[in-house]
């Protein structure tokens, strides 16, 4: 994913856990090795420019649902202290009581201090991780996710929500369903992302996507704890 235009960085999600969502920009994912992802190309090392852009995007947030999701093609740590403070003050001013962020596993020890930082203003933090699958051999040897062989309970000790990647070669109806059920057992919410082609080597598998759409999607379509993104822009942000 190349740099995202400013007009594609704010959206409103009206179904399932209604919330506003912003795609902010930071210094970029520090892992950058996942073999299916080029989201991290949306970054800048110019922190002043990032902060100014993020401030303009955050100015669109109304607080109408009291819930805000902040994503940034990386982890919350890549946003910098100034943007995090802007987000915290926005939550106070717009009466937003719950803030969602995302993070790679490598930053897990920085999550508790972030929760405490927001809790000082009575704001709850929900942290999401892109685990992609709980099959650690598949995840690490094929996707190169950088989480080693951690099991769901270890992940859930730090994270509230999980993203899964489906529609890629090697997955079956049973494996995709098993991952969703494990996600629901250990996490508050599950977000299933269907693979879309990008500049990285792993490609979507049309047959696996067809299996998902015919056998999995109907079962979870109305589950309020499951978001399904058939296209990676279904939340209304990004390209
Ligand atoms: S999927 Fe996440 S952790 Fe992996 S390279 Fe992309 S932004 Fe980084």
């Amino acid at each position: 994913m190349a740099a995202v235009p400013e007009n594609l960085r704010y959206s409103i999600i009206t179904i399932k856990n209604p919330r506003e969502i912003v795609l902010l920009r930071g210094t970029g994912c520090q892992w950058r090795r996942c073999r299916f992802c080029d989201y991290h190309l949306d970054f800048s090392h110019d922190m002043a420019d990032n902060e100014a852009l993020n401030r303009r995007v955050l100015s669109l947030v109304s607080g109408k649902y009291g819930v805000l999701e902040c994503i940034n093609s990386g982890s919350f740590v890549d946003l910098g202290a100034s943007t995090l403070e802007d987000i915290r003050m926005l939550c106070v001013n717009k009466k937003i009581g719950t803030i969602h962020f995302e993070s790679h596993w490598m930053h897990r020890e920085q999550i508790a201090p972030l929760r405490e930082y927001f809790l000082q203003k009575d704001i709850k933090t929900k942290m999401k991780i892109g685990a992609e699958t709980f099959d650690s051999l598949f995840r690490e040897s094929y996707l190169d996710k950088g989480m080693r062989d951690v099991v769901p309970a270890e992940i859930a000790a730090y994270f509230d929500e999980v993203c899964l990647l489906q529609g890629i070669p090697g997955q079956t109806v049973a494996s995709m369903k098993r991952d969703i059920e494990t996600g629901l057992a250990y996490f508050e919410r599950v977000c299933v992302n269907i693979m879309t082609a990008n500049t990285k080597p792993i490609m979507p598998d049309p047959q696996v996507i067809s299996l998902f759409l015919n056998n999995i999607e109907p079962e979870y379509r109305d589950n309020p704890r499951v978001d399904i993104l058939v296209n990676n822009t279904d939340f209304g942000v990004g390209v």
Side-chain angles (χ1 to χ4, degrees):
M1 181 173 74
V4 175
E6 193 165 328
N7 65 340
L8 296 176
R9 291 181 179 273
Y10 167 82
S11 184
I12 302 173
I13 299 166
T14 56
I15 52 162
K16 295 187 182 181
N17 190 27
R19 58 202 186 274
E20 291 173 277
I21 183 167
V22 286
L23 172 56
L24 303 179
R25 195 178 68 199
T27 48
C29 170
Q30 294 172 41
W31 180 247
R32 297 188 191 202
R33 279 174 45 178
C34 300
R35 297 180 66 248
F36 58 89
C37 167
D38 65 4
Y39 292 160
H40 50 78
L41 296 175
D42 182 45
F43 78 98
S44 171
H45 289 307
D46 184 338
M47 283 307 281
D49 199 38
N50 288 339
E51 287 160 13
L53 169 70
N54 293 340
R55 224 165 266 146
R56 291 194 299 274
V57 174
L58 290 168
S59 73
L60 303 172
V61 173
S62 71
K64 64 186 291 187
Y65 295 121
V67 183
L68 176 64
E69 179 164 0
C70 292
I71 59 175
N72 60 289
S73 307
S75 303
F76 70 92
V77 297
D78 310 315
L79 286 171
S82 178
T83 289
L84 288 174
E85 179 59 11
D86 285 346
I87 296 168
R88 189 168 77 150
M89 291 318 299
L90 173 75
C91 291
V92 171
N93 294 335
K94 300 286 183 180
K95 298 188 175 18
I96 293 169
T98 306
I99 180 86
H100 296 251
F101 286 108
E102 59 188 8
S103 177
H104 186 276
W105 176 246
M106 71 166 81
H107 305 298
R108 61 194 178 282
E109 302 303 343
Q110 288 161 268
I111 295 172
L114 183 87
R115 291 190 199 276
E116 177 55 33
Y117 174 68
F118 276 86
L119 211 50
Q120 286 167 5
K121 302 289 184 188
D122 293 323
I123 303 157
K124 276 187 294 183
T125 299
K126 299 291 181 186
M127 192 60 65
K128 185 189 273 186
I129 185 169
E132 321 309 351
T133 174
F134 298 107
D135 178 339
S136 56
L137 184 60
F138 185 83
R139 183 181 66 221
E140 300 307 317
S141 63
Y142 181 44
L143 304 180
D144 198 7
K145 191 69 216 189
M147 295 174 66
R148 302 190 313 277
D149 57 350
V150 290
V151 297
E154 291 175 86
I155 305 170
Y158 294 91
F159 293 86
D160 309 288
E161 305 175 340
V162 67
C163 286
L164 302 173
L165 181 67
Q166 305 204 326
I168 51 180
Q171 291 178 323
T172 64
V173 170
S175 76
M176 291 188 281
K177 188 159 180 199
R178 190 163 56 241
D179 274 335
I180 295 173
E181 288 298 322
T182 303
L184 287 171
Y186 284 91
F187 298 89
E188 294 174 18
R189 307 196 81 247
V190 173
C191 181
V192 182
N193 296 294
I194 299 302
M195 180 72 202
T196 51
N198 57 58
T199 59
K200 298 306 286 282
I202 292 180
M203 287 287 145
D205 184 328
Q207 285 186 322
V208 176
I209 293 175
S210 177
L211 288 175
F212 176 89
L213 293 175
N214 291 326
N215 300 279
I216 309 265
E217 194 271 345
E219 187 173 340
Y220 297 100
R221 184 185 297 157
D222 298 322
N223 188 321
R225 293 172 57 211
V226 180
D227 288 322
I228 298 174
L229 278 69
V230 174
N231 297 297
N232 59 354
T233 53
D234 282 353
F235 277 155
V237 294
V239 292

